[in-house]
Amino acid sequence: SQELEQSPQSLIVQEGKNLTINCTSSKTLYGLYWYKQKYGEGLIFLMMLQKGGEEKSHEKITAKLDEKKQQSSLHITASQPSHAGIYLCGADSYLIQGAQKLVFGQGTRLTINP
Amino acid sequence: NAGVTQTPKFRVLKTGQSMTLLCAQDMNHEYMYWYRQDPGMGLRLIHYSVGEGTTAKGEVPDGYNVSRLKKQNFLLGLESAAPSQTSVYFCATWRAPTQYTDTQYFGPGTRLTVL
């Protein structure tokens, strides 16, 4: 079965600094999703990557999928307090009868210090 | 357009009690999922449904039952709650996973404590 490993598990950065979160898969990724979760709330979809070498950006957040499609990174530039939360990566996985689900990494808890 | 809603938001149970969590969606999505989230373990799939009247087991189904009598509702039941079921439960929907630009939509979660 597919497993996703996120690193680091927790991260504390000074406001204004850049940071990177990594997500490594045990198998080839066919669809990689990044979500953000604010403490005590649901998951908010950030971006989805499919193709090797693909890169997407939204505001100050950039996500990349490596050429071999086994690792993704999420980079935040000039971090702000609003970036604080838990970041999760999820990957397409197949269930029986062709149904699909997402397999998730364990999450990275990001704290932004003023 | 409410999206995905979950009822209740919080609940405290005693060991052995039963309860039902309700997930409702107004997006006409076929696929619905129940996950649990525990510290350091990400989200794990409990049960899922690929359409009205169908359900199937996920990774951690023991101690839970589900029903999808109506397309818009997916119920998660705990027949005899145990402390190990203390967790945050998330419902998610997916229009059709073959739509590769689409994603799962998550409810706000239900925080359950079993004493």
Side-chain angles (χ1 to χ4, degrees):
Chain A
S1 61
Q2 186 165 25
E3 292 183 356
L4 295 180
E5 185 74 27
Q6 282 185 240
S7 62
Q9 292 191 20
S10 66
L11 192 55
I12 302 173
V13 300
Q14 199 82 21
E15 183 177 351
K17 297 293 186 183
N18 302 337
L19 63 105
T20 300
I21 298 168
N22 294 303
C23 176
T24 302
S25 173
S26 59
K27 297 183 179 180
T28 300
L29 293 162
Y30 293 100
L32 188 286
Y33 303 76
W34 282 101
Y35 291 88
K36 178 187 174 184
Q37 182 182 21
K38 289 190 176 181
Y39 301 120
E41 297 182 15
L43 279 68
I44 300 167
F45 172 70
L46 296 175
M47 279 171 275
M48 181 203 173
L49 304 165
Q50 282 182 270
K51 301 175 184 176
E54 187 174 9
E55 180 176 319
K56 289 186 178 179
S57 294
H58 177 65
E59 297 181 342
K60 295 185 178 182
I61 300 176
T62 300
K64 301 178 185 179
L65 182 62
D66 74 339
E67 289 288 346
K68 293 184 179 180
K69 295 173 63 174
Q70 284 199 280
Q71 187 167 25
S72 178
S73 61
L74 188 80
H75 184 77
I76 298 177
T77 304
S79 58
Q80 300 169 348
S82 60
H83 289 130
I86 299 173
Y87 289 81
L88 293 116
C89 62
D92 279 331
S93 183
Y94 287 88
L95 297 158
I96 58 174
Q97 298 176 341
Q100 282 178 259
K101 67 168 184 177
L102 288 179
V103 172
F104 287 91
Q106 75 274 39
T108 296
R109 185 178 293 268
L110 174 62
T111 302
I112 308 294
N113 284 338
Chain B
N1 198 356
V4 183
T5 59
Q6 290 183 233
T7 310
K9 288 186 168 54
F10 302 94
R11 187 72 186 269
V12 178
L13 290 178
K14 294 181 180 178
T15 298
Q17 287 185 318
S18 63
M19 77 164 294
T20 300
L21 283 68
L22 170 64
C23 176
Q25 55 117 343
D26 61 4
M27 297 179 287
N28 203 35
H29 286 181
E30 290 292 337
Y31 287 45
M32 296 187 76
Y33 306 79
W34 275 109
Y35 294 91
R36 60 177 289 173
Q37 184 180 35
D38 301 294
M41 299 187 76
L43 275 73
R44 292 181 292 169
L45 183 65
I46 306 171
H47 285 281
Y48 66 100
S49 168
V50 300
E52 181 178 314
T54 73
T55 62
K57 295 180 180 180
E59 303 168 71
V60 289
D62 294 343
Y64 304 95
N65 57 73
V66 288
S67 65
R68 182 112 180 258
L69 299 178
K70 294 182 179 180
K71 186 176 182 179
Q72 62 267 34
N73 295 336
F74 195 28
L75 279 67
L76 178 71
L78 285 73
E79 291 184 346
S80 179
S84 60
Q85 293 177 304
T86 293
S87 188
V88 182
Y89 292 86
F90 288 100
C91 174
T93 71
W94 212 343
R95 178 169 50 190
T98 52
Q99 303 289 332
Y100 290 120
T101 58
D102 205 352
T103 181
Q104 289 193 6
Y105 293 85
F106 285 82
T110 295
R111 190 172 296 270
L112 175 66
T113 301
V114 182
L115 302 174

